[in-house]
Short mmCIF file of all heavy atoms in Angstrom, two decimals:
data_model
loop_
_atom_site.label_atom_id
_atom_site.label_comp_id
_atom_site.label_asym_id
_atom_site.label_seq_id
_atom_site.Cartn_x
_atom_site.Cartn_y
_atom_site.Cartn_z
N TYR A 211 -105.29 98.10 -78.61
CA TYR A 211 -106.40 98.29 -79.53
C TYR A 211 -107.67 98.12 -78.59
O TYR A 211 -107.90 97.17 -77.94
CB TYR A 211 -106.36 97.12 -80.53
CG TYR A 211 -105.29 97.31 -81.51
CD1 TYR A 211 -104.00 97.03 -81.29
CD2 TYR A 211 -105.62 97.97 -82.76
CE1 TYR A 211 -103.01 97.22 -82.19
CE2 TYR A 211 -104.66 98.16 -83.74
CZ TYR A 211 -103.29 97.82 -83.39
OH TYR A 211 -102.38 98.03 -84.36
N VAL A 214 -113.67 98.40 -79.96
CA VAL A 214 -114.61 99.46 -80.46
C VAL A 214 -115.52 98.65 -81.46
O VAL A 214 -115.04 97.80 -82.19
CB VAL A 214 -113.84 100.55 -81.23
CG1 VAL A 214 -114.74 101.57 -81.83
CG2 VAL A 214 -112.95 101.29 -80.14
N PRO A 215 -116.79 99.04 -81.58
CA PRO A 215 -117.66 98.30 -82.52
C PRO A 215 -117.11 98.56 -83.98
O PRO A 215 -116.51 99.57 -84.31
CB PRO A 215 -118.96 99.18 -82.38
CG PRO A 215 -118.85 99.93 -81.12
CD PRO A 215 -117.51 100.03 -80.71
N VAL A 216 -117.24 97.52 -84.77
CA VAL A 216 -116.71 97.47 -86.11
C VAL A 216 -117.35 98.54 -86.99
O VAL A 216 -118.67 98.61 -87.08
CB VAL A 216 -116.91 96.11 -86.70
CG1 VAL A 216 -116.26 96.11 -88.19
CG2 VAL A 216 -116.15 95.05 -85.90
N VAL A 217 -116.56 99.46 -87.51
CA VAL A 217 -117.02 100.51 -88.37
C VAL A 217 -116.44 100.18 -89.80
O VAL A 217 -115.30 99.80 -89.85
CB VAL A 217 -116.55 101.80 -87.93
CG1 VAL A 217 -117.10 102.96 -88.78
CG2 VAL A 217 -116.87 102.01 -86.46
N PHE A 218 -117.24 100.29 -90.87
CA PHE A 218 -116.67 100.02 -92.13
C PHE A 218 -115.81 101.23 -92.48
O PHE A 218 -116.28 102.36 -92.60
CB PHE A 218 -117.73 99.85 -93.16
CG PHE A 218 -117.19 99.50 -94.53
CD1 PHE A 218 -116.86 98.20 -94.75
CD2 PHE A 218 -117.08 100.39 -95.48
CE1 PHE A 218 -116.27 97.89 -95.96
CE2 PHE A 218 -116.49 100.12 -96.75
CZ PHE A 218 -116.05 98.83 -96.98
N SER A 219 -114.48 100.94 -92.73
CA SER A 219 -113.64 102.01 -93.11
C SER A 219 -112.41 101.47 -93.77
O SER A 219 -112.13 100.31 -93.75
CB SER A 219 -113.17 102.85 -91.81
OG SER A 219 -112.69 101.81 -90.90
N ALA A 220 -111.61 102.23 -94.38
CA ALA A 220 -110.48 101.75 -95.15
C ALA A 220 -109.35 102.83 -95.19
O ALA A 220 -109.56 104.01 -94.92
CB ALA A 220 -110.90 101.32 -96.58
N GLU A 251 -103.92 89.76 -99.59
CA GLU A 251 -104.66 90.44 -98.58
C GLU A 251 -104.70 91.96 -98.90
O GLU A 251 -103.73 92.63 -98.78
CB GLU A 251 -103.91 90.28 -97.17
CG GLU A 251 -104.40 91.15 -96.04
CD GLU A 251 -105.93 91.14 -95.87
OE1 GLU A 251 -106.30 89.99 -95.39
OE2 GLU A 251 -106.58 92.08 -96.03
N ASN A 253 -106.09 94.50 -97.63
CA ASN A 253 -106.10 95.55 -96.64
C ASN A 253 -104.63 95.60 -96.03
O ASN A 253 -104.32 94.73 -95.08
CB ASN A 253 -107.19 95.41 -95.57
CG ASN A 253 -107.12 96.42 -94.53
OD1 ASN A 253 -106.40 97.39 -94.61
ND2 ASN A 253 -107.89 96.25 -93.47
N PRO A 254 -103.85 96.55 -96.25
CA PRO A 254 -102.51 96.62 -95.69
C PRO A 254 -102.55 96.63 -94.15
O PRO A 254 -101.58 96.20 -93.48
CB PRO A 254 -101.91 97.92 -96.29
CG PRO A 254 -102.62 98.16 -97.46
CD PRO A 254 -104.00 97.75 -97.16
N CYS A 255 -103.66 97.07 -93.56
CA CYS A 255 -103.72 97.02 -92.08
C CYS A 255 -103.59 95.61 -91.55
O CYS A 255 -103.35 95.41 -90.25
CB CYS A 255 -104.98 97.69 -91.60
SG CYS A 255 -105.02 99.55 -91.96
N SER A 256 -103.88 94.65 -92.43
CA SER A 256 -103.83 93.29 -91.93
C SER A 256 -102.45 92.58 -92.19
O SER A 256 -102.31 91.51 -91.91
CB SER A 256 -104.94 92.46 -92.60
OG SER A 256 -106.21 93.01 -92.34
N TRP A 257 -101.67 93.35 -92.87
CA TRP A 257 -100.27 92.77 -93.13
C TRP A 257 -99.54 92.69 -91.86
O TRP A 257 -99.71 93.45 -90.89
CB TRP A 257 -99.49 93.71 -94.16
CG TRP A 257 -100.08 93.73 -95.51
CD1 TRP A 257 -101.12 92.99 -95.99
CD2 TRP A 257 -99.68 94.68 -96.50
NE1 TRP A 257 -101.32 93.25 -97.33
CE2 TRP A 257 -100.55 94.31 -97.59
CE3 TRP A 257 -98.73 95.60 -96.70
CZ2 TRP A 257 -100.44 95.02 -98.83
CZ3 TRP A 257 -98.57 96.21 -97.80
CH2 TRP A 257 -99.45 96.02 -98.93
N VAL A 260 -97.88 95.50 -89.59
CA VAL A 260 -98.43 96.90 -89.88
C VAL A 260 -99.59 97.08 -88.87
O VAL A 260 -100.31 96.21 -88.56
CB VAL A 260 -99.04 96.93 -91.28
CG1 VAL A 260 -99.71 98.26 -91.52
CG2 VAL A 260 -97.99 96.67 -92.33
N CYS A 262 -102.60 99.91 -87.79
CA CYS A 262 -103.40 101.07 -88.12
C CYS A 262 -104.08 101.65 -86.90
O CYS A 262 -104.12 101.00 -85.92
CB CYS A 262 -104.39 100.71 -89.25
SG CYS A 262 -103.67 100.13 -90.82
N ASN A 263 -104.64 102.90 -87.09
CA ASN A 263 -105.21 103.48 -85.92
C ASN A 263 -106.48 102.67 -85.56
O ASN A 263 -107.17 102.09 -86.36
CB ASN A 263 -105.52 104.94 -86.19
CG ASN A 263 -106.54 105.17 -87.30
OD1 ASN A 263 -106.58 104.31 -88.18
ND2 ASN A 263 -107.22 106.26 -87.35
N SER A 264 -106.67 102.46 -84.28
CA SER A 264 -107.47 101.48 -83.75
C SER A 264 -108.93 101.61 -84.06
O SER A 264 -109.66 100.72 -84.26
CB SER A 264 -107.29 101.34 -82.29
OG SER A 264 -107.51 102.56 -81.68
N SER A 265 -109.42 102.90 -84.10
CA SER A 265 -110.82 103.11 -84.24
C SER A 265 -111.31 102.96 -85.68
O SER A 265 -112.35 102.40 -85.85
CB SER A 265 -111.19 104.54 -83.68
OG SER A 265 -110.32 105.49 -84.35
N THR A 266 -110.64 103.38 -86.60
CA THR A 266 -111.11 103.39 -88.00
C THR A 266 -110.34 102.69 -89.05
O THR A 266 -110.76 102.36 -90.15
CB THR A 266 -111.30 104.78 -88.48
OG1 THR A 266 -110.05 105.43 -88.46
CG2 THR A 266 -112.26 105.53 -87.65
N ASN A 267 -109.09 102.24 -88.71
CA ASN A 267 -108.24 101.66 -89.71
C ASN A 267 -108.06 102.44 -90.94
O ASN A 267 -107.71 102.01 -92.06
CB ASN A 267 -108.74 100.31 -90.16
CG ASN A 267 -108.36 99.08 -89.24
OD1 ASN A 267 -107.63 99.35 -88.27
ND2 ASN A 267 -108.82 97.97 -89.52
C1 LIG B 1120 -108.54 97.05 -88.45
O1 LIG B 1120 -107.68 96.08 -89.05
C2 LIG B 1120 -107.35 95.03 -88.18
C3 LIG B 1120 -106.36 94.17 -88.89
O2 LIG B 1120 -106.84 93.65 -90.14
C4 LIG B 1120 -108.63 94.18 -87.88
O3 LIG B 1120 -108.32 93.16 -86.99
C5 LIG B 1120 -109.55 95.18 -87.16
O4 LIG B 1120 -110.79 94.48 -86.98
C6 LIG B 1120 -109.84 96.40 -88.08
N1 LIG B 1120 -110.62 97.40 -87.32
C7 LIG B 1120 -111.68 97.98 -87.85
C8 LIG B 1120 -112.38 98.98 -86.93
O5 LIG B 1120 -111.95 97.83 -88.93
#
Side-chain angles (χ1 to χ4, degrees):
Y211 290 80
V214 173
V216 178
V217 182
F218 185 78
S219 51
E251 172 51 69
N253 180 9
C255 292
S256 299
W257 294 351
V260 177
C262 294
N263 61 336
S264 56
S265 52
T266 58
N267 274 354

